[in-house]
Every structure is written in C-alpha cells, then in structure tokens.
Amino acid sequence: MIKAILADDEDIIREGISSFIDWDSLGIKLVGQASNGVEARELIEVACPEIIITDVKMPRMSGIELLALAKEKQPDCIVIMISSYDQFEYAQQSLNLGAFAYILKPIDTDKLIALLKEAVEKIKKQSSQKQILDTYKDVLEQTQLEVLDNKLKAMVFGGNTEGLTEGEKDYLKKFQHFIVVSVHADKPVFHEEAFTKELEKKLEKWISQQEAEIKRFRNQSRMTIFCILQKEKKEISYSRLCYIYGQYYREAVLGISMKADSVESLAEAYKQSMEAAEYRFFVEETVIFYENVNQQMHFSFQDMPDWSRQVRDCLKGKTEGKSQEEAVREITNRFLTYMYEKKPSGFMVRAAVSAILLELLHGLREQGGKPEDLFLNVSDAFVSILNERNPALQVEKLYEALHSGAEYISRLEKLKPNSVVYKARRYIEGNYQNPNLRIDDVANHVFINPSYFSTIFSRECQISFGDYLTKIRMEKALQLLKTTNQKVYEIAEQVGYQNVSWFNVAFKKYTGMKPGDVRK
C-alpha cells in the first residue's frame, strides 16, 4: 500500500477528505493527519509518506515550507496543495517547488480522487523504473566484477595489465600484496562426480572465512589456481585448504608463491606457485612455500655454478657440436665425478639430484610438455632415482630421465609453428560464432598441447589467443552493425556472445563506442 498523510488546520476539511475517499480501493493507506505544519513535518519524518495532501496556509509552518522540506527529504514524493486562495503567486510558487497539483476549496472530491489515481500510477511507474535501474546496476556491477576477474586470470597466466581501466587500477591499489596458490589434486578417493558439489561447498566456506579477496581459476592443466588479494597482513589457513582437498584426493599438494606487491607481478607469482607444486616430488610436504624450498634446492651446486645452464642447453639441443645424447651423457658424468670427488652427504646428493630433475620439469613445462607423457608414474620414477644408493646406477637413471626428456622436447620443437598457427587462425575464423570456443579446442584441432600452442600462437601472431578471438568477433560485429538492420542481441549471438551485456562491454572496450553509436 502507498502511504499518505493529510495536513489542514480545519477539522471539517480533514474529516471530509478522510471520510469521503475510499483509500483502500485506490491502493493508499492514510497513515496520519496533522492540524499544522509542524505536526505534518513530524509525520513526514516518522512515516515517510509517498503522498502528501496539505493546505497552503497553516499555523506554525505553511504548506509551502512543508512542500520544500518534503521535496528535500524525498524528491519523488507526490504533494497535492489545497487552498482557499485563488492567487496565482501561491499556485506558481507551489508548482515551482515541485507540487503535483494545486486545487481550490471547496474541494471537488471527484477531482481529488482523480488526482490521487494519477499519483498512484506515477508512484508505481517510478517504483518499476527504480527496480529496473537497481537490477541493471546489480547486473552492471556483477558484469564489471566478472570482467575484472577475467583480466586477473589473464594476468596470472601471463597477460599484461594494459587492459585495466583506471577504476580497476584504483580498486586493485587497496590491496597490499598478492599471492598465487596452485593446487595439485590427483587420484580421487571416490568418483569425482560424487563429491564435486560437496567439495565446492567446503571451498566456498573456506574462501568466506579468509580475511582476503580470493579469486579461483582453472589453468590449462586443469589445476585449481587461487589468486589471493590481501588488504592486511593476515594469516591464510593454507593447511585447512590442503586438508579439504586431502579428504577427496590421495595426492593433494599446495604450491604457494612469494608475496607480489602489484598485479604486474602476478604472472611471476603464478610460475613460482607452479614450481613450488612441482617440488612435491622431492619434499615430504603438502603445503610448499616457494621461498623456502627454492633456497633449499638451489644451495647444493656451489662448486658447479653453470649446472642449470648446462642442463637447460642439453634439453633444448644447444650442444655446441655434440649430439644431444653426448651432451646429456657429459652432464651426468660430470655429476658422477662431482659426487666421487666431493663426497657430499646423502642429503646434499638428494638435493642436487632433485634440482636437476626440477630443471627437467621446467624444460618440459616451458615447451608445453607434461612429465606424465614421459613417465608412467612420475613420483615412482623420481623416487627410484632419488633413493638409489649406488652413485653409478643413480647417474645412469638420471641420464635416462634427461635423455628421454631431451628427445621429447626435441619432438615438440620440430613442430612447424607457422603452419600450425595458420591452421589455428583458419579454424578460429571459421568457428568464432561458437560461444564455447576455447584454446583447448583450437590446440586439439592442430594436435598440440594447449600450453605450447598458447606460447607459439602469441609469439607468431604478437597477440594472445583470447585477444585474437575477440578481434575476429568485434570486426565481424562492426561489419554486421554497418551493413544490416539486425538487433544488437542478434548480432551478439552471431559472433559468439550468449549474454548481450558481455558483448556490449567487450565492444566498448575494443572500439571505444557502444554498438548503437555505430549506426548513428
């Protein structure tokens, strides 16, 4: 019901209006009456009426003053002025201050009822418009948050910050530092479909309990990535997060990056978290901090300062006249000599072998390869090398692992990036209408690992896959806007957008214009 108050210093007028009008049938509830302006003002403060019927001349505060006060407090309220004075200045002053109507006494009840009906329709229309506006604001705010989340995801996985708006940059400045957590969860205890919803609820609860803003993504290896935006130096319960995953997976390990001071460092933090997660093969921990294990792993080779470069070079085929097999044999024999001459402790040997195997993992990851493609069981293969007590046998096992890795990387590098990219571009241009088109689909089409495909596509085209797909879609949308009379939502669907709001945001970002502006 719409609330109304009635103010007039004449009792007979108030009684007549309140009695002769069927308020309920109009959808109005008369919530109060006042005999002077001050009483009316108090009613306005308490009841917040949408309709005010007031006399122009009243003791203690005039109806004109009450009108001004009511409009200041609630600009959308409807004020109907009644008066015994047929003077133009009163009517003009009332209407200038925003009165809905000005009627003279004796009051024509039918006319007042007609005015009240108009007032009710206007209030309903305003309410409907406000609901639409509030809904639009909610959708817009949610869309803006989703856009920012997608930008953060792109930055974590190697994008840049050039696409951030000034408002987004200001928003991100309120966070003191950023941390990236990569979750390796493998070998489910139950069938994954049986516990996915339960796991999701526990993760949402964990996120809500942390004193930070936490974004959750999936990378191309289907690992879960948490991007933690912290305002204060509060502890994050990583052990609890690991415990949640540990309830559903036999292997659950968290790799945690160092703190990044800005969003520009998110990509580096992501690499650190992935590397920390890879240390699971070498340390008996389930929550692995990059800062701790990185120092531990790389302390062992003080007497072999160029070991990491040599390993990387032989994996990539940079062997300076030697065959790849000879280069791998040389680095492993050198390591065997190091062990016999220096006679390091068992701990130091284990750390040194772990460091070499980590270089193998890094080399595979940089080229888009996977350790699972080389070893039936990565953990078992690495444990076998690390636990071998005979130095010669240990080096032989290490050689076999490095040699297999070098051959695998060589096969990846022999793929022809230019022809692959050409085929990929043709595929994108023929399938951009598909709203579910993903980089994995294109990579599968050209028979390449998605991570490696992303690398060569960006290198050859000087643009990321996501930006290229957007470019194709926006150029086609521009063409359709200029050459057809199709509605914007129809064009959005034709270029791969199921949500027209998303299309509008992407179009404005790409062209600097709204879709409707193109046709003006």
Side-chain angles (χ1 to χ4, degrees):
M1 296 284 280
I2 294 170
K3 293 182 291 185
I5 66 168
L6 173 60
D8 197 299
D9 58 335
E10 296 183 59
D11 295 343
I12 192 171
I13 297 293
R14 293 200 311 276
E15 290 174 6
I17 294 175
S18 62
S19 301
F20 289 113
I21 293 177
D22 185 354
W23 300 95
D24 288 342
S25 68
L26 296 174
I28 301 173
K29 182 177 181 180
L30 189 61
V31 295
Q33 299 183 42
S35 60
N36 59 62
V38 173
E39 289 180 5
R41 181 185 64 191
E42 292 172 353
L43 276 175
I44 291 172
E45 293 288 339
V46 173
C48 298
E50 291 110 313
I51 297 175
I52 300 168
I53 304 170
T54 180
D55 191 10
V56 172
K57 287 282 189 176
M58 290 188 298
R60 303 184 66 184
M61 177 184 286
S62 72
I64 300 291
E65 292 173 303
L66 187 67
L67 167 62
L69 182 146
K71 283 294 184 180
E72 183 178 349
K73 180 176 176 58
Q74 192 175 337
D76 292 336
C77 70
I78 302 289
V79 182
I80 298 174
M81 308 294 290
I82 55 178
S83 176
S84 301
Y85 304 95
D86 185 12
Q87 295 183 11
F88 176 72
E89 59 181 291
Y90 286 137
Q92 185 182 42
Q93 193 175 4
S94 298
L95 296 173
N96 286 342
L97 287 171
F100 183 68
Y102 187 95
I103 59 176
L104 296 174
K105 298 178 182 177
I107 294 172
D108 183 337
T109 307
D110 291 339
K111 183 175 181 180
L112 179 57
I113 290 173
L115 286 172
L116 289 172
K117 287 181 178 179
E118 288 181 31
V120 168
E121 288 302 314
K122 182 176 180 181
I123 291 168
K124 287 181 178 179
K125 187 175 180 180
Q126 288 173 341
S127 177
S128 176
Q129 289 174 340
K130 185 176 184 300
Q131 287 179 353
I132 293 171
L133 184 60
D134 289 343
T135 302
Y136 176 76
K137 276 184 69 178
D138 290 341
V139 171
L140 182 61
E141 287 173 3
Q142 184 61 34
T143 300
Q144 289 172 336
L145 286 174
E146 290 173 354
V147 168
L148 178 57
D149 285 356
N150 282 333
K151 289 180 181 180
L152 284 173
K153 181 178 180 180
M155 284 185 279
V156 167
F157 297 147
N160 55 51
T161 59
E162 293 177 3
L164 291 175
T165 65
E166 290 302 317
E168 289 167 340
K169 289 177 182 177
D170 290 340
Y171 171 76
L172 292 170
K173 283 178 183 176
K174 70 181 181 181
F175 299 104
Q176 291 185 356
H177 52 254
F178 307 83
I179 298 170
V180 178
V181 179
S182 294
V183 181
H184 167 79
D186 197 14
K187 298 180 180 177
V189 178
F190 315 103
H191 194 284
E192 283 188 303
E193 290 183 4
F195 65 78
T196 300
K197 290 183 179 178
E198 187 178 332
L199 173 60
E200 179 67 22
K201 287 180 181 178
K202 290 185 177 180
L203 291 177
E204 288 293 338
K205 183 177 180 180
W206 177 83
I207 290 172
S208 69
Q209 292 171 339
Q210 309 311 306
E211 296 189 61
E213 188 162 332
I214 300 178
K215 311 293 184 184
R216 190 168 17 145
F217 312 124
R218 298 279 280 182
N219 68 5
Q220 291 170 345
S221 299
R222 295 295 181 259
M223 287 177 66
T224 302
I225 310 298
F226 292 91
C227 183
I228 299 172
L229 291 65
Q230 286 191 281
K231 294 180 183 178
E232 301 174 2
K233 295 181 179 179
K234 300 287 186 180
E235 291 297 323
I236 302 294
S237 58
Y238 297 117
S239 58
R240 176 63 185 170
L241 178 61
C242 192
Y243 172 75
I244 291 171
Y245 277 100
Q247 291 179 293
Y248 304 99
Y249 295 93
R250 293 183 179 88
E251 292 183 7
V253 175
L254 269 59
I256 303 168
S257 75
M258 297 171 65
K259 292 178 179 177
D261 295 328
S262 66
V263 290
E264 286 81 3
S265 304
L266 277 175
E268 180 59 31
Y270 169 64
K271 290 179 183 177
Q272 291 175 357
S273 73
M274 288 290 289
E275 188 171 323
E278 287 171 350
Y279 289 146
R280 67 185 181 274
F281 300 116
F282 316 109
V283 298
E284 295 180 359
E285 299 174 20
T286 54
V287 179
I288 305 173
F289 291 87
Y290 174 83
E291 187 173 12
N292 297 340
V293 289
N294 186 53
Q295 293 174 355
Q296 175 184 324
M297 288 293 184
H298 292 282
F299 181 74
S300 311
F301 275 119
Q302 291 181 348
D303 295 320
M304 295 174 65
D306 62 341
W307 70 271
S308 60
R309 179 189 58 78
Q310 284 194 335
V311 172
R312 286 196 300 269
D313 285 351
C314 73
L315 288 173
K316 294 178 179 178
K318 299 177 181 179
T319 55
E320 298 180 357
K322 304 183 187 72
S323 68
Q324 202 166 37
E325 183 177 357
E326 289 172 337
V328 174
R329 177 63 72 183
E330 183 177 303
I331 187 66
T332 50
N333 285 343
R334 185 180 175 193
F335 179 62
L336 180 63
T337 302
Y338 167 77
M339 285 197 293
Y340 276 121
E341 289 181 353
K342 299 296 180 180
K343 296 181 179 179
S345 66
F347 171 80
M348 296 294 283
V349 170
R350 186 181 180 88
V353 174
S354 298
I356 293 174
L357 290 173
L358 273 171
E359 284 299 329
L360 170 59
L361 290 175
H362 297 168
L364 292 174
R365 178 154 47 84
E366 286 175 4
Q367 297 302 323
K370 297 179 181 179
E372 291 79 9
D373 294 339
L374 284 179
F375 309 101
L376 184 62
N377 185 300
V378 181
S379 296
D380 289 349
F382 284 4
V383 167
S384 175
I385 298 171
L386 291 167
N387 290 347
E388 178 60 61
R389 299 299 179 89
N390 184 311
L393 289 178
Q394 186 177 47
V395 166
E396 189 61 28
K397 290 181 178 180
L398 185 62
Y399 163 77
E400 290 175 0
L402 291 175
H403 185 244
S404 297
E407 287 188 329
Y408 178 45
I409 290 172
S410 178
R411 289 196 299 272
L412 289 175
E413 289 182 334
K414 285 178 181 178
L415 294 170
K416 296 180 180 180
N418 287 328
S419 62
V420 166
V421 170
Y422 176 82
K423 291 177 183 176
R425 288 173 63 176
R426 298 288 80 79
Y427 183 78
I428 295 168
E429 290 161 12
N431 293 273
Y432 66 89
Q433 303 96 332
N434 179 4
N436 298 314
L437 183 64
R438 299 290 183 269
I439 192 170
D440 290 23
D441 303 320
V442 184
N444 289 337
H445 177 74
V446 294
F447 307 105
I448 288 186
N449 175 277
S451 179
Y452 182 56
F453 170 74
S454 176
T455 300
I456 63 171
F457 189 91
S458 298
R459 184 175 67 223
E460 296 298 325
C461 297
Q462 297 299 305
I463 186 173
S464 71
F465 164 79
D467 288 343
Y468 184 77
L469 178 58
T470 300
K471 176 176 179 289
I472 295 297
R473 286 172 167 170
M474 293 301 105
E475 288 178 352
K476 182 62 178 178
L478 272 170
Q479 180 185 349
L480 291 172
L481 285 166
K482 292 177 179 178
T483 60
T484 73
N485 293 321
Q486 290 178 299
K487 298 184 183 299
V488 172
Y489 76 85
E490 293 174 330
I491 292 175
E493 289 177 355
Q494 283 193 47
V495 298
Y497 287 85
Q498 293 176 316
N499 186 318
V500 71
S501 297
W502 273 102
F503 170 74
N504 289 334
V505 170
F507 191 89
K508 178 72 181 294
K509 180 183 173 184
Y510 184 81
T511 65
M513 301 181 291
K514 296 178 181 178
D517 295 339
V518 176
R519 289 172 166 167
K520 290 180 180 178

